[in-house]
DNA sequence: CGTTTATTTGAAAACGCTCAAGCTCTGTGG
DNA sequence: CCACAGAGCTTGAGCGTTTTCAAATAAACG
């Protein structure tokens, strides 16, 4: 692994304060692999063999039944996924696939569990990561149960505008059908939700969305810190 | 605190294998308090001051906006709640209220964080608890996004039948409107979902539900281990 | 440039919510 | 023990939202 990548991984909250030896052990037994776009990295129900770190690219976490499929999360660099399955030594609950060509660091699950037992700082970081992830899930569930589709979209726009740092402009970084699935609706419904938001100053041009009246949009969205505020934006750059 | 209660709390996965001193420190600075039914124990957005352990009774975790409210979980003895908020030292994302007269053990958040730092076994238990909770949330979110209301009810019935251990019979242990909210629907809709399930061998008598054709019901519910299987039934006796 | 894939639009159906009324159950006080 | 009030539950009607299916348009890719 190139040193710049290692340095980036080291900056993750999960690894930032752990012992050098621990980090070394984790890294040296890992694979850094490049995947093209559209590759399924892990499949639900398979045993959790590796902790995955996305070094570069974009990854979609999703789950499916016979007939339906939904996007649970979109993970951007530098981010970690399926930590909980690795720790519990259970099957993955989610599948993962690349949305863009991606560099993925795969750390053997066994090594993660071992490192956790030997390095208190690492275990501590794991606790914080899990607690954050847990709370993030609750927020998602609250949004899903308490809001309509258009409201979820409006709040997603407001939050993403803030994350991306360009006032009045949001760029959708995935296909719209992925965003729709992430927000818990069909692609058709996302189109209609955008139409609804036209009345509140939202204009769509392809993957570029303009927000001309932030106050009006916020009035419709009724954003709620206990649903929308990220507690840590480090590995949540995308959504 | 009476010794039988202390023993019950000690049996929790979270405390089972921790050091005696740690357990003592946690317990001796805690309050065991009795609450009548219908008391709000914690409110969303308030700072997380205590880790709560339900020793006896029943507690509803819920969240609300201006106009809507939803039940996120129902916690039965002996169970722990809002661990993640305590660890992150952030505001509660959920409110909690008693559904029955309840004995609640309240452990100062500060003590929990301190004990975690001094007792590796406790930190380890916290990791496992959080990982389980995280995965439980994912399952809930999957159910919410991938299933209709009637499907969620059907799967809830099948799982609860198994949990309660009486083949062919499920007893609803809360008001139906709470169950409806837990399943992500209105009380009216729950009634109609039960009507739908009549065709698959489900008969309702007040809070008693009879399942006369488990295979037929399962055929409708299409249960999925990656959504429905509990990974730990210890503090999930109710739902 | 043509083919494929994604997005949008329209129409119809399914689903879920709200409102209102009636019913059931429970607990209280006469 | 009965009557009654209050709360919860069910049912019906109407409505709004979301999904599905189908077709048209737009965009992306070779």
């Amino acid at each position: 692994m190139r040193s710049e990548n290692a340095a980036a991984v080291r900056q993750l909250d999960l690894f930032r304060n752990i012992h050098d030896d621990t980090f070394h052990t984790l890294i040296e037994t890992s694979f850094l692999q490049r995947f093209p776009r559209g590759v399924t990295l892990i499949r639900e129900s398979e045993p959790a063999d590796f902790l995955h770190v996305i070094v570069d690219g974009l990854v979609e976490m999703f789950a499916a039944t016979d007939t339906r499929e939904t996007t649970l999360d979109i993970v951007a660099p530098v981010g970690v996924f399926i930590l909980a399955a690795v720790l519990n030594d259970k099957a993955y609950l989610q599948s993962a696939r690349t949305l863009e060509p991606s560099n993925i660091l795969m750390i053997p699950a066994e090594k993660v569990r071992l490192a956790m037992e030997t390095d208190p700082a690492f275990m501590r970081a794991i606790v914080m990561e899990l607690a954050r992830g847990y709370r993030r899930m609750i927020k998602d569930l609250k949004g899903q149960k308490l809001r309509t589709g258009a409201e979820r979209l409006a709040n997603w726009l407001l939050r993403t505008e803030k994350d991306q740092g360009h006032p009045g402009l949001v760029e959708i970084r995935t296909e719209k059908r992925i965003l729709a699935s992430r927000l818990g609706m069909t692609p058709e419904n996302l189109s209609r939700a955008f139409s609804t938001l036209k009345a509140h100053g939202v204009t769509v041009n392809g993957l570029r969305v303009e927000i001309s009246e932030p106050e009006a949009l916020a009035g419709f969205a009724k954003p709620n810190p206990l649903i929308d505020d990220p507690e840590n934006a480090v590995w949540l750059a995308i959504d």
Side-chain angles (χ1 to χ4, degrees), chain A:
Chain A
M1 181 155 85
R2 293 166 60 183
S3 65
E4 61 188 72
N5 285 339
V9 173
R10 191 73 156 114
Q11 282 313 302
L12 268 175
D13 281 356
L14 193 59
F15 301 119
R16 185 171 306 172
N17 296 313
I18 71 178
H19 199 282
D20 278 337
D21 294 346
T22 312
F23 187 67
H24 242 88
T25 307
L26 287 174
I27 290 296
E28 77 184 358
T29 56
S30 305
F31 316 92
L32 180 65
Q33 204 170 337
R34 179 147 198 91
F35 296 96
R37 180 191 150 127
V39 171
T40 298
L41 302 172
I42 65 180
R43 247 174 276 270
E44 324 178 46
S45 87
E46 289 180 356
D49 290 332
F50 294 94
L51 176 66
H52 292 235
V53 180
I54 172 171
V55 175
D56 193 64
L58 201 58
V59 169
E60 177 194 13
M61 308 301 304
F62 66 100
T65 61
D66 296 346
T67 54
R68 283 177 273 236
E69 177 179 315
T70 189
T71 303
L72 294 165
D73 205 354
I74 293 168
V75 189
V78 180
V80 110
F81 54 94
I82 45 111
L83 177 58
V86 163
L87 294 172
N88 264 6
D89 198 8
K90 290 272 166 65
Y92 298 122
L93 295 180
Q94 310 173 69
S95 303
R97 80 182 137 221
T98 54
L99 292 176
E100 295 174 7
S102 302
N103 280 314
I104 308 290
L105 179 69
M106 295 188 297
I107 310 176
E110 184 51 41
K111 301 291 179 195
V112 174
R113 291 191 289 265
L114 215 66
M116 178 179 86
E117 301 295 349
T118 54
D119 185 344
F122 186 41
M123 183 139 69
R124 194 178 189 292
I126 286 175
V127 166
M128 292 308 158
E129 195 70 28
L130 285 174
R132 257 199 305 273
Y134 181 68
R135 285 164 64 83
R136 222 165 89 76
M137 274 299 137
I138 291 179
K139 289 175 184 176
D140 242 48
L141 186 59
K142 283 169 67 174
Q144 201 63 40
K145 290 179 82 174
L146 292 171
R147 285 175 170 161
T148 66
E151 284 170 345
R152 289 195 295 278
L153 173 60
N155 282 294
W156 181 87
L157 285 171
L158 290 172
R159 170 168 167 184
T160 306
E161 181 199 25
K162 212 184 292 178
D163 286 352
Q164 295 185 349
H166 303 295
L169 183 70
V170 167
E171 195 195 341
I172 301 171
R173 307 238 229 153
T174 65
E175 291 173 357
K176 284 203 186 118
R177 64 187 181 82
I178 305 286
L179 174 60
S181 180
R182 173 76 243 270
L183 294 176
M185 55 181 114
T186 58
E188 295 95 326
N189 209 9
L190 178 63
S191 275
R192 288 170 186 132
F194 271 122
S195 302
T196 302
L197 297 188
K198 262 186 204 140
H200 303 95
V202 172
T203 321
V204 188
N205 268 28
L207 294 179
R208 234 175 225 83
V209 184
E210 209 179 315
I211 301 175
S212 56
E213 306 165 44
E215 332 73 32
L217 184 57
F220 174 84
K222 294 198 260 1
N224 178 339
L226 298 180
I227 301 181
D228 305 297
D229 278 12
E231 266 156 33
N232 164 17
V234 173
W235 55 288
L236 306 176
I238 282 283
D239 69 340

